[in-house]
């Protein structure tokens, strides 16, 4: 069973969805994991409080990049309010495999970046915890 999820994770890593630049995004946030230097940027186009388009860029491990790719597929058409409420369960459900605390940090980096982007912050920062 986990093999299927592992294949899906590898597929997202090798062929990331919605990865690339965006012209004039309404929301942008960039952050990095200070322990490994991996980084993610999410860019959103928003209309009437709903995500109209999403792009992301980044570099990092298989789990962080797959998580970013999978989350990006879930975002389009979502009200900002809804994605602000996504928790780590959302990411774990998408990845579908149990994760060690270190790997969980990898998986949650894109979620944090996406959620700060949803709040409209344009600053950069560092993710220092996974709670
Ligand atoms: Fe850096 Fe996974 S090892 S985010």
């Amino acid at each position: 069973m986990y093999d299927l999820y592992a294949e899906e994770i590898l597929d997202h890593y090798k062929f990331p969805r919605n990865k690339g630049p965006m012209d004039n995004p309404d929301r942008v946030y960039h952050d990095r994991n200070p322990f490994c230097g991996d980084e993610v940027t999410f860019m959103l186009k928003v209309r009437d409080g709903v995500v109209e388009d999403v792009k992301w860029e980044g570099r990092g491990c298989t789990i962080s990049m797959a998580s970013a790719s999978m989350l990006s597929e879930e975002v389009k058409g979502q009200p900002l309010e809804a994605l602000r409420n996504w928790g780590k369960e959302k990411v774990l459900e998408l990845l579908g495999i149990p994760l060690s605390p270190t790997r969980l940090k990898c998986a949650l980096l894109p979620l944090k970046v996406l959620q700060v982007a949803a709040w409209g912050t344009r600053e950069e920062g560092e993710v220092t915890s996974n709670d």
Side-chain angles (χ1 to χ4, degrees):
M1 181 69 168
Y2 290 150
D3 282 356
L4 281 178
Y5 286 111
E7 269 179 37
E8 183 78 3
I9 288 168
L10 270 180
D11 188 68
H12 274 269
Y13 178 70
K14 287 183 188 165
F15 309 104
R17 281 53 149 191
N18 302 305
K19 192 174 183 190
M22 175 184 277
D23 288 334
N24 303 315
D26 297 311
R27 307 287 175 96
V28 182
Y29 191 66
H30 166 266
D31 213 338
R32 58 190 281 276
N33 181 336
F35 300 105
C36 60
D38 292 352
E39 51 192 337
V40 176
T41 303
F42 261 99
M43 295 150 276
L44 305 175
K45 293 253 194 220
V46 178
R47 179 166 297 186
D48 299 328
V50 173
V51 178
E52 207 174 45
D53 199 9
V54 58
K55 289 284 185 184
W56 67 276
E57 296 196 283
R59 58 178 183 82
C61 65
T62 307
I63 294 291
S64 66
M65 297 296 98
S67 170
S69 176
M70 289 173 165
L71 281 167
S72 75
E73 286 195 312
E74 300 282 308
V75 168
K76 240 183 250 184
Q78 288 287 335
L80 291 174
E81 200 59 44
L83 68 98
R84 284 173 191 154
N85 290 323
W86 288 352
K88 71 177 176 188
E89 297 73 23
K90 177 78 177 178
V91 176
L92 289 172
E93 183 188 312
L94 289 171
L95 291 168
I97 57 169
L99 296 174
S100 68
T102 305
R103 296 282 102 181
L104 185 61
K105 201 180 286 283
C106 301
L108 293 181
L109 172 64
L111 177 65
K112 288 193 166 191
V113 172
L114 177 59
Q115 289 184 314
V116 179
W119 282 106
T121 303
R122 283 179 173 270
E123 296 167 11
E124 296 187 5
E126 288 190 343
V127 175
T128 55
S129 72
N130 57 5
D131 51 27

